[in-house]
Amino acid sequence: MIFPVVMAGGTGSRLWPLSRDLMPKQFLKLNGQQTMLQATIGRLEGLDCSAPLVICNEEHRFIAAEQLRQIHQLDHNIILEPVGRNTAPAIALAAFTAVKKAQDPLLLVLAADHVIAQNDYFQTAVRQATVLAEQGLLVTFGIVPVSPETGYGYIRRASKLNEQFSAYKVGQFVEKPKREVAEQYLASGDYYWNSGMFMFRASVYLQQLKQFRPDIYAACELAMGEVNPDLDFIRVNSDAFLACPDDSVDYAVMEKTDAAVVVPLDAGWSDVGSWSSLWDISPKDLQDNVHQGDVLSVNSTGNFVLAETCLVATVGLENTVVVQTKDAVLVAAKDQVQNVKAVVQQLKAAE
Ligand code: GDD
Ligand code: MG
């Protein structure tokens, strides 16, 4: 049985102004009828899974609970973080919780804000990963890279594990390399992007974390020591967790371990990291435009236009992102949308 852990504590600031502190990306319906969190859990249907464990900021507890209720996930568990300390601690809290609920379960760690177009391929990869995680390995899911993205982890494929299926030992894991390095990796053909999903036994993760980041391990152990379960949520000890160092699982464990393997995943994966990546994966009209809401366009091509509360019209506009919400409008060149987070930073600095 798989124990799904859904990390839902990110900020999604590059999708401003739709994604906000109070309603970040993972709780939005960015493509389709379901929110990204709901779609993440829906993707597990048909796999042998226990109820999902969601981990998010306590600010979002009612949003998360309500969204789970809407998809009839009533026996879920939600761990609340008083503050985000990134993914290494988040997974540790989940692993400590999981070992209390089941006997050293296999954790399938998922990001709550990804899109996967072909779910059957995803599930096939998860089934392969299950076999490997049962052997005590840390499984990553590798995406064939198509550009020298610097916001991803890169995984070098080493020897093939066995003839049964395509999985490889990880030769090297490099989180967020510099542009020149990412270009070399891309050109070599030996690297995958890290999808940000993982599978391992709870005890294996905790043991590795204890080895490489005993400070994070100890803070999370303490934070889970005096858990205060209220009716619907698992609340950790605030002071202990506030003292926990901030680090991602990628730097804290994956770059350091020698027990990692990679299962390739060719399933139409996207982490919808920016408005242009949402344009990439969305159906387009004949002029290559993606329109959401009440949008009218004349002689306009290659745009992403979202109108939340009023009609938006474009004339002679090319390769541009326009996002209209009730209190803010973004107009950005489509090839510069990575910098949207600078807008959020400036807004925060001015607060
Ligand atoms: N609960 C919780 N607490 N969740 C968190 C926290 C936290 O403090 N920080 C981030 N998350 C969640 C986010 O919501 C997201 O679902 C996931 O964890 C990954 O965090 P990101 O902040 O989006 O990471 P990233 O995009 O910089 O990098 C990761 O994902 C890439 C692929 O999308 C890494 O794993 C990279 O190696 C990977 O390529
Ligand atoms: Mg991300």
Side-chain angles (χ1 to χ4, degrees):
M1 173 115 73
I2 297 168
F3 199 103
V5 171
V6 182
M7 303 182 288
T11 55
S13 62
R14 278 175 298 172
L15 292 181
W16 182 90
L18 212 54
S19 177
R20 299 288 177 96
D21 277 357
L22 285 175
M23 189 56 107
K25 177 184 167 193
Q26 57 273 25
F27 302 117
L28 298 174
K29 290 179 189 168
L30 281 180
N31 79 329
Q33 292 308 306
Q34 293 196 314
T35 70
M36 304 202 82
L37 170 66
Q38 291 172 331
T40 304
I41 290 168
R43 231 169 264 143
L44 300 170
E45 210 179 308
L47 290 169
D48 181 23
C49 288
S50 65
L53 178 59
V54 173
I55 175 153
C56 67
N57 193 282
E58 65 183 13
E59 263 197 330
H60 302 129
R61 62 192 179 282
F62 296 124
I63 301 174
E66 172 61 13
Q67 292 196 356
L68 293 172
R69 197 192 55 74
Q70 284 168 357
I71 55 166
H72 313 294
Q73 285 288 341
L74 301 178
D75 52 356
H76 59 263
N77 295 284
I78 303 178
I79 304 178
L80 303 180
E81 295 163 304
V83 57
R85 285 289 183 254
N86 215 323
T87 52
I91 299 171
L93 298 180
F96 279 121
T97 306
V99 291
K100 283 185 194 160
K101 292 195 174 286
Q103 217 190 349
D104 197 9
L106 287 179
L107 306 185
L108 174 61
V109 178
L110 302 171
D113 54 356
H114 292 172
V115 166
I116 293 176
Q118 287 146 304
N119 204 34
D120 45 342
Y121 289 1
F122 167 68
Q123 293 204 353
T124 302
V126 169
R127 290 197 176 92
Q128 295 189 351
T130 304
V131 179
L132 302 169
E134 274 169 348
Q135 297 167 16
L137 297 163
L138 294 117
V139 185
T140 62
F141 297 89
I143 313 289
V144 173
V146 292
S147 63
E149 262 282 342
T150 53
Y152 292 154
Y154 283 72
I155 298 170
R156 183 163 60 78
R157 185 177 54 229
S159 56
K160 198 164 181 214
L161 281 181
N162 59 37
E163 287 310 311
Q164 213 182 330
F165 44 68
S166 73
Y168 304 85
K169 274 198 74 65
V170 170
Q172 191 189 16
F173 186 110
V174 181
E175 179 65 5
K176 299 187 181 19
K178 290 205 179 340
R179 184 86 185 179
E180 311 81 75
V181 178
E183 278 166 4
Q184 285 166 22
Y185 291 166
L186 181 69
S188 80
D190 295 336
Y191 285 79
Y192 292 106
W193 281 337
N194 173 34
S195 68
M197 302 182 286
F198 306 94
M199 198 163 183
F200 33 64
R201 279 206 184 282
S203 64
V204 170
Y205 178 73
L206 290 173
Q207 174 270 319
Q208 296 267 308
L209 186 68
K210 193 173 185 176
Q211 180 180 348
F212 300 122
R213 290 301 302 266
D215 50 348
I216 295 180
Y217 177 91
C220 292
E221 188 180 36
L222 203 60
M224 289 309 289
E226 287 172 44
V227 167
N228 178 7
D230 67 17
L231 220 47
D232 289 318
F233 303 108
I234 302 168
R235 288 170 193 274
V236 303
N237 179 301
S238 218
D239 290 342
F241 197 64
L242 284 168
C244 183
D246 182 306
D247 205 1
S248 78
V249 60
D250 318 285
Y251 290 115
V253 174
M254 299 316 301
E255 280 199 338
K256 302 190 173 88
T257 183
D258 57 9
V261 294
V262 56
V263 170
L265 177 68
D266 183 9
W269 171 92
S270 166
D271 71 346
V272 204
S274 66
W275 289 116
S276 67
S277 59
L278 189 54
W279 177 85
D280 282 338
I281 61 167
S282 301
K284 298 169 190 69
D285 67 12
L286 291 175
Q287 285 72 43
D288 255 0
N289 296 306
V290 175
H291 292 166
Q292 288 188 15
D294 201 3
V295 179
L296 197 153
S297 77
V298 176
N299 290 341
S300 294
T301 53
N303 303 308
F304 179 95
V305 186
L306 185 155
E308 195 181 56
T309 62
C310 66
L311 168 72
V312 174
T314 68
V315 180
L317 194 69
E318 282 178 14
N319 302 324
T320 302
V321 170
V322 180
V323 179
Q324 180 273 330
T325 68
K326 67 178 186 308
D327 60 356
V329 178
L330 169 75
V331 181
K334 206 169 71 205
D335 62 359
Q336 289 201 35
V337 287
Q338 299 297 336
N339 298 326
V340 169
K341 69 170 173 227
V343 175
V344 177
Q345 281 158 3
Q346 287 196 27
L347 285 171
K348 289 208 162 137
E351 261 170 21

